[in-house]
């Protein structure tokens, strides 16, 4: 059996400064230093501030990740090259290049979205948990603050983008509506929490019900929320906020689930992989699982919360597969790719035959 690679990974695509050490699929350390309290006053990530904090924090975050993994011998370095905020990505890449020169290590360039997609494969330090028997094709459902995508995965490293958001991402809509309700930043988790105790009684409709494709749109829903609040000027009592949050969340879930079911009908996947920060939402996971169960499909998501939101452990998982394929990047050619995405599906969707609902993986 070949030895698994030990890799130090860096992730700075937005406003979390992250470093992790992995041994194959085992996550030995996973350090996340969140900048969110620094950006809170501005209600969103401030690019220059994010860049400066990444630069300041990276040396400490990296040395902590190495220390927590007992300072192992490294075989390679990995870094997120995109998608993300250009100034943030630049800092991670620059620091990775510095370390590569210092320690004479090869570099693996990683797509942040592939990180979220493969986050279910991550194992604990002792090698437990983590998806071990993948079956393909898999349907990836990525729901984060920057992206909302359905991805068809034929094998590790081969993906097709089936549908994506045409405007805001789902997490972004949560954060923006939370801001309208003056819930703080990032407000997504707070809004989701309030929604749990509310009754959906306000007129916030499911987006794009007439379009029969696999794309998403959340800006109309956000605008409807803003219009309602501006026109009705309700007092933001706890009861109102809970019910309004529940109304918003219900529309988001309906929209996500309509597209999710359609993708299963069209592409007959054999398993489902969930990834991205919004997958922290337990109610959403429950709904997704019960929809998938109707098709006999297993649903996987990361084994711990830290692997769901942005982190470098998931980057290390992708890197370990890239290492096996020897997909190293020349440091002189290593550059940020702020708009990186999976290639769009070339084939138009073929309607599945009627008895695919029982295909079990
Ligand atoms: O994947 P992630 O950490 O960063 C990006 O790559 O965007 O996702 C962060 C997003 C934020 O928009 C946050 O509000 C949202 O995930 N989020 C949630 C929940 N927890 C985090 N949205 C809804 N319900 C939650 N429980
Ligand atoms: Zn992310």
């Amino acid at each position: 059996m070949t030895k698994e690679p030990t890799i130090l990974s860096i992730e700075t695509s937005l406003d979390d400064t992250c470093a992790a050490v992995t041994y194959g699929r085992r996550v030995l350390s996973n350090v996340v230093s969140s900048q969110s309290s620094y950006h809170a006053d501005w209600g969103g990530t401030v690019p220059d501030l994010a860049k400066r904090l990444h630069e300041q924090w990276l040396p400490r975050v990296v040395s902590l990740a190495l220390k927590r993994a007992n300072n192992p011998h490294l075989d390679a370095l990995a870094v997120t090259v995109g998608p993300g905020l250009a100034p943030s990505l630049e800092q991670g890449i620059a620091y990775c290049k510095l370390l590569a020169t210092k320690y004479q290590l090869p570099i693996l360039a990683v797509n942040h979205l592939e990180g979220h997609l493969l986050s279910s494969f991550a194992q604990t330090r002792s090698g437990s948990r983590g998806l071990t028997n993948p079956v393909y094709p898999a349907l990836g459902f990525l729901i984060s603050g920057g992206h909302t995508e359905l991805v068809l995965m034929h094998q590790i490293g081969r993906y097709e983008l089936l549908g994506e958001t045409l405007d805001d991402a789902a997490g972004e809509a949560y954060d923006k509506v939370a801001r309208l309700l003056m819930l703080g930043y990032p407000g997504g988790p707070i809004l989701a929490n309030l929604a749990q105790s509310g009754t959906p009684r306000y007129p916030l409709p499911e987006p794009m019900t007439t379009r029969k494709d696999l794309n998403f749109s959340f800006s109309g829903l956000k605008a409807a929320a803003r219009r309602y609040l501006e026109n009705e000027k309700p007092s933001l009592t706890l009861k109102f906020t809970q019910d309004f949050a529940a109304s918003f969340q219900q529309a988001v879930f309906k929209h996500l689930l309509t597209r999710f079911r359609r993708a299963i009908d069209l592409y007959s996947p054999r398993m489902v992989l969930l990834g991205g920060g919004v997958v922290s939402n337990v109610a959403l996971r429950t709904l997704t699982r019960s929809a998938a169960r109707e098709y006999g499909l297993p649903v996987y998501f990361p084994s711990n919360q830290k692997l769901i939101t942005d982190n470098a452990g998931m980057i290390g998982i992708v890197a370990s597969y890239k290492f096996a394929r020897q997909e190293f990047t020349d440091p002189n050619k290593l550059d940020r790719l702020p708009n990186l995405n999976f290639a769009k599906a070339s084939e138009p969707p073929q309607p599945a035959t009627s008895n695919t609902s029982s295909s079990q993986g």
Side-chain angles (χ1 to χ4, degrees), residues 13-14 16 112 116 143-147 170-172 174-175 186-189 192 249 276-278 280-282 305 308-310:
S13 62
L14 192 61
D16 291 314
H112 179 86
H116 279 304
I143 321 168
S144 74
H147 293 83
E172 187 181 359
Y174 266 92
D175 294 335
Q249 181 160 276
V278 182
S280 313
N281 192 305
V282 179
Q305 176 59 34
I308 292 182
T309 43
D310 285 352

Side-chain angles (χ1 to χ4, degrees), residues 93-105:
I93 292 170
Y95 196 63
C96 184
K97 283 185 185 175
L98 200 86
L99 293 177
T101 308
K102 188 169 168 192
Y103 299 111
Q104 290 295 296
L105 288 167

Side-chain angles (χ1 to χ4, degrees), residues 186-318:
I190 305 171
L191 183 98
N193 202 19
L194 288 162
Q196 275 190 313
S197 320
T199 308
R201 63 173 87 242
Y202 294 101
L204 297 178
E206 176 187 354
M208 295 216 297
T209 46
T210 53
R211 278 184 63 154
K212 301 293 175 211
D213 60 14
L214 296 175
N215 292 322
F216 302 87
S217 167
F218 293 95
S219 70
L221 179 59
K222 177 192 66 188
R226 173 179 292 130
R227 251 191 331 269
Y228 184 90
L229 296 171
E230 283 174 0
N231 293 344
E232 304 296 324
K233 298 186 178 43
S235 68
L236 301 181
T237 60
L238 177 62
K239 173 86 178 96
F240 171 81
T241 310
Q242 287 170 334
D243 290 349
F244 198 76
S247 312
F248 166 77
Q249 181 160 276
Q250 176 176 268
V252 171
F253 286 0
K254 278 188 183 167
H255 187 40
L256 291 172
L257 267 290
T258 302
R259 265 62 190 169
F260 177 63
R261 285 173 183 278
R262 188 170 294 151
I264 297 175
D265 286 334
L266 289 170
Y267 289 93
S268 308
R270 298 181 64 210
M271 68 171 186
V272 174
L273 298 173
L274 301 180
V278 182
V279 172
S280 313
N281 192 305
V282 179
L284 176 61
R285 288 208 300 255
T286 306
L287 276 180
T288 312
R289 281 173 121 167
S290 64
R293 198 176 304 123
E294 290 169 28
Y295 296 84
L297 286 175
V299 175
Y300 299 97
F301 54 89
S303 57
N304 74 56
Q305 176 59 34
K306 206 167 192 178
L307 288 162
I308 292 182
T309 43
D310 285 352
N311 69 95
M314 68 183 192
I315 304 305
I317 303 305
V318 176

